[in-house]
Amino acid sequence: MTRPAAVLFDRDDTLVEDVPYNGDPARVRPMPGAREAVRLLRESGVPVAVVSNQSGVGRGLLTDDQVRAVNARVDALLGPFDAWAYCPHAPEDGCRCRKPAPGLVEEVARLLGVRPRECVVIGDIGSDMGAARAAGARGVLVPTARTLPEEVAAAPLVCDDLLDAVRHVLRDDPRRPRRTAGATAGGRAAADGAAGAGRRG
């Protein structure tokens, strides 16, 4: 793994705790290690960005303004990030931006002036890895208790936590990091259809 031109993070359950369809900035809580992970990338001169499914907009549960307000709170706590992109569509809309489609990764790469294949996507479920793969980027999975075992098994790289993932990316280590035992035993109910096709967002 060569050092990336940019690192693209999933938002919910990767950078911040997943609050389903959250439109309240006051409920934003960073995930363990998120501040340090983002800081290490910035200090290394690697641009950081966020790619996030936010189907609550398409479902009528959130407004774009609410999503932006939550994103602004993430910026205030962990940022500022160099670029943001989110998909507002519902799963049935068949858009090209909803992960695991490549649109968000491609859009952020365009905004940053880099090629998608030069980027690393860090996320917690299969759709994050699918979006990376579809765009030609590299994926690193950081499982939570809700990550499906088959998503862990299918991921190209698996790290114990966010800080471990960033350290792996920065030290250019080609070895597969060890799997998290709790994650492989974890059970997350599949949402939006097939495993990894989408989270609650």
Side-chain angles (χ1 to χ4, degrees), residues 17 50 55 65 120 155 163 177 181 191 193 195-196:
E17 295 176 4
V50 183
S55 70
D65 285 344
V120 168
L163 192 54

Side-chain angles (χ1 to χ4, degrees), residues 79-178:
F81 288 85
D82 297 294
W84 283 83
Y86 70 90
C87 171
H89 304 109
E92 60 271 18
D93 290 341
C95 65
R96 196 174 184 276
C97 52
R98 180 177 172 81
K99 296 178 291 185
L104 295 179
V105 176
E106 293 172 343
E107 173 64 9
V108 162
R110 183 190 66 79
L111 291 171
L112 295 176
V114 300
R115 291 175 290 186
R117 64 183 177 87
E118 298 173 324
C119 298
V120 168
V121 177
I122 299 178
D124 67 300
I125 60 173
S127 64
D128 300 314
M129 301 300 96
R133 183 171 57 252
R138 292 170 286 164
V140 179
L141 186 75
V142 180
T144 69
R146 285 179 288 209
T147 309
L148 294 173
E150 54 264 41
E151 294 174 324
V152 176
L157 290 170
V158 182
C159 289
D160 286 336
D161 53 45
L162 197 57
L163 192 54
D164 184 36
V166 166
R167 285 172 173 160
H168 175 81
V169 168
L170 288 177
R171 69 175 172 256
D172 194 21
D173 187 346
R175 295 170 298 173
R176 183 180 178 92
R178 64 186 177 88

Side-chain angles (χ1 to χ4, degrees), residues 15-16 30-31 34-35 38 42 73-81:
L15 285 175
V16 298
M31 291 290 282
R35 288 188 178 92
V38 175
R42 289 198 186 96
R73 180 59 177 164
V74 178
D75 257 346
L77 291 172
L78 303 176
F81 288 85

Side-chain angles (χ1 to χ4, degrees), residues 12-36:
D12 301 320
D13 256 359
T14 299
L15 285 175
V16 298
E17 295 176 4
D18 183 22
V19 177
Y21 307 121
N22 184 28
D24 182 0
R27 301 182 71 187
V28 175
R29 298 288 184 274
M31 291 290 282
R35 288 188 178 92
E36 177 70 5

